[in-house]
Amino acid sequence: MTILVTGGDGYIGWPTALRIADRTDERVISVDNYGRRRWVEEIGSQSAVPITTPEERVVAASDQLGITNLSFVRGDLVDRSFVDELLSIHEPETIVHVAAQPSAPYSQINGDRANYTQHNNLQSTRNLLWGLKEHGMTDTHFIETTTTGVYGAPDFPIPEGGATMENEGKRDEVPFPAMAGSWYHLTKSHDAANLRLAHKQFGVPISDVRTAIIYGTETEETRASDALKTRFDFDYYFGTVVHRFCAQAAEGYPLTVYGKGEQRKPFASLEDTVEGLARLALADSADRSDDFAVYNQVTRAISIVEIAETIDSVAAEFDFDTSVEHFENPREEDETHAMEIENDRYMSLIGDQRQTFEEGVRDVLETLARHSDRIESHEDRFVPDVLLSDGTAEANGESDSVPAESD
């Protein structure tokens, strides 16, 4: 048996490949094209955590954890010939597809980046799905991290998968309508539709894992060595609101909440995210909930103001001088939106939540305290407002309390 993990150099992909390899004797192949490193460098930032190359990580996994069944392949999934070669050589029985350009703000910069994001993300997924069909591998379990962003922010509870539609007295379950709010999120809406079609036409067993906004720096395995750390982005484009707030706290800036900040967003820790993907990847077919299943990879919804207040409280443990300040909201949004999202299937998969929000924040702040020089040199990438000489902030709308997803 071989398990393929795409996006294996990424924030989620690397610790996921590491955990899967640690829990099985089967071969685990990590695949990446170094895209995330290029994109973050392009927008003038860097990972707060120094990271080694994928090849060096594989060596460290062997040295530090005794993992000898993990290997790395460099290649671009947009290249159909590479995908064909990858599938024909390794014949994976499971694919965990985490590879994507994951930033909504990056996809919104201009038309070129919007086109790039859509081509990169959609072509990669189609190449893999059609590759399975054309290589006679339609029994391969295909797990993809899409995003809870496909749901938008409706005023009714978000189901775990489809929606019930009623017309002229008749009811049926239909795929949830694409209500995405960025060119990136639409790639995942299209992917979700393509996954459903591949299941219907080819019979490929599908797990559509709709990933929430992820926070944290550590998993059980990455704690073992600095050489095993995953990347951590804190900038406007690839950092989430939690990570940007933590960077502000570490550098002594106020945590800037725009408006009331009572709108809730779906979150999950990196630890809980990796656990769910690993369990799906290692599950026997008889243990999977369905041949086509949607999982809302969410442990809880949290308001922006609660995020800020929690970070402010934990920051005191590290003697960081910060505070929570409210400013006029430069965006038109519902500042009190009480998101409700079902997650029974996902919580049943992972069991109890493995890391609380406060514990995840503590991990982040501890990490940033050790690498303060790396974020201090890039303050213009995460400070969300024009800072005035008196240390207060004036909202300019460049960045706000609505988080950028990063998976």
Side-chain angles (χ1 to χ4, degrees), residues 98-116:
V98 192
Q101 190 296 98
S103 167
Y106 182 90
S107 75
Q108 300 284 118
I109 292 174
N110 54 35
D112 285 342
R113 289 174 176 84
N115 286 341
Y116 172 81

Side-chain angles (χ1 to χ4, degrees), residues 375-387:
I375 60 173
E376 184 178 0
S377 61
H378 291 78
E379 287 184 347
D380 63 324
R381 298 293 84 192
F382 67 85
V383 177
D385 307 291
V386 176
L387 293 182

Side-chain angles (χ1 to χ4, degrees), residues 1-5 16-31 58-59 61-62 66-73 86 89-96 281-282:
M1 175 180 174
T2 298
I3 300 172
L4 193 68
V5 180
T16 297
L18 190 60
R19 175 156 301 177
I20 293 171
D22 193 39
R23 292 189 180 175
T24 182
D25 294 328
E26 307 296 341
R27 173 60 58 186
V28 178
I29 308 294
S30 172
V31 182
V58 169
V59 173
S62 176
I67 296 174
T68 59
N69 57 331
L70 176 62
S71 56
F72 175 75
V73 175
L86 187 70
I89 291 175
H90 298 291
E91 299 182 337
E93 295 184 21
T94 300
I95 296 176
V96 183
L282 297 172

Side-chain angles (χ1 to χ4, degrees), residues 335-378:
E335 298 171 356
T336 61
H337 182 256
M339 171 174 283
E340 295 180 59
I341 185 166
E342 297 175 4
N343 64 348
D344 290 347
R345 184 178 291 140
Y346 188 71
M347 293 308 297
S348 177
L349 173 68
I350 67 171
D352 293 334
Q353 183 178 355
R354 296 168 65 89
Q355 186 177 56
T356 67
F357 180 65
E358 183 175 300
E359 290 168 342
V361 166
R362 189 171 287 110
D363 270 348
V364 173
L365 292 176
E366 183 176 20
T367 296
L368 295 183
R370 290 198 295 131
H371 301 294
S372 60
D373 58 322
R374 294 178 66 85
I375 60 173
E376 184 178 0
S377 61
H378 291 78

